[in-house]
Amino acid sequence: VQVKIKTSSLDSRDKRRDAHLRREDFFHVEKYPHMTFESSRILKTGPKTFDVEGTLELKGIKKKVTLKTEFKGQKKDHVGKESVFFRAETKILRKEFGITWNKSIEGTDYLIGDEVTISLIVQAQPLGRKTAYSTHMIPDTEALANYA
């Protein structure tokens, strides 16, 4: 499994915060426009669950991670092309990826914790079957909610 995600596509549901996350303090999207994941091993852990082990690259730093993954189902688009859906999650320590910005609040407390959860909803089609319509199949997060 190989995944390439535009760092500018992050969505925390707060436009002002998203603008800050895109700057040098966090993802520095101009210098690092993508984060990548490449699997090295997939282990079946249940009828619809998998541990997908591999390497996450973020801000030019590579670390081994495990994506806890669940198969959520399949659906056809408006031209009959089949897609499968997965939900995946992993936790990272942001400082290990060079994301060190923080702000103290109320003495010794900090605004941002060190552990960050990365959550993905993945829509995939078999290699070679992607159509021009595929990028518009499930156009919004509300439609994807059924697969979360």
Side-chain angles (χ1 to χ4, degrees), residues 8-67:
S8 63
S9 72
L10 72 92
D11 182 2
S12 70
R13 298 187 179 115
D14 183 309
K15 289 181 183 190
R16 215 170 108 201
R17 178 176 43 223
D18 291 349
H20 187 199
L21 291 171
R22 289 181 179 104
R23 293 196 304 259
E24 289 181 32
D25 290 337
F26 290 92
F27 293 101
H28 198 178
V29 300
E30 288 181 17
K31 185 173 182 180
Y32 304 103
H34 298 98
M35 68 173 79
T36 61
F37 175 80
E38 186 167 344
S39 66
S40 54
R41 185 165 78 155
I42 300 173
L43 303 166
K44 188 169 183 167
T45 56
K48 293 185 175 187
T49 59
F50 307 85
D51 282 352
V52 182
E53 298 174 353
T55 302
L56 175 67
E57 182 175 355
L58 179 58
K59 289 185 75 174
I61 299 168
K62 294 180 180 184
K63 298 280 180 186
K64 299 283 186 195
V65 299
T66 299
L67 292 171

Side-chain angles (χ1 to χ4, degrees), residues 24 30 53 57 66 69 74 89 99 115-116 126 129 140:
E24 289 181 32
E30 288 181 17
E53 298 174 353
E57 182 175 355
T66 299
T69 306
Q74 56 192 63
E89 188 172 284
I99 301 173
E115 187 175 79
V116 174
R129 292 195 188 166
D140 58 47

Side-chain angles (χ1 to χ4, degrees), residues 74-85:
Q74 56 192 63
K75 187 174 183 176
K76 287 184 180 181
D77 67 9
H78 62 284
V79 294
K81 300 296 180 187
E82 191 88 21
S83 286
V84 292
F85 295 85

Side-chain angles (χ1 to χ4, degrees), residues 96-111:
E96 291 182 353
F97 289 92
I99 301 173
T100 59
W101 185 92
N102 215 340
K103 187 171 189 139
S104 64
I105 53 173
E106 307 266 332
T108 59
D109 288 335
Y110 287 91
L111 189 61

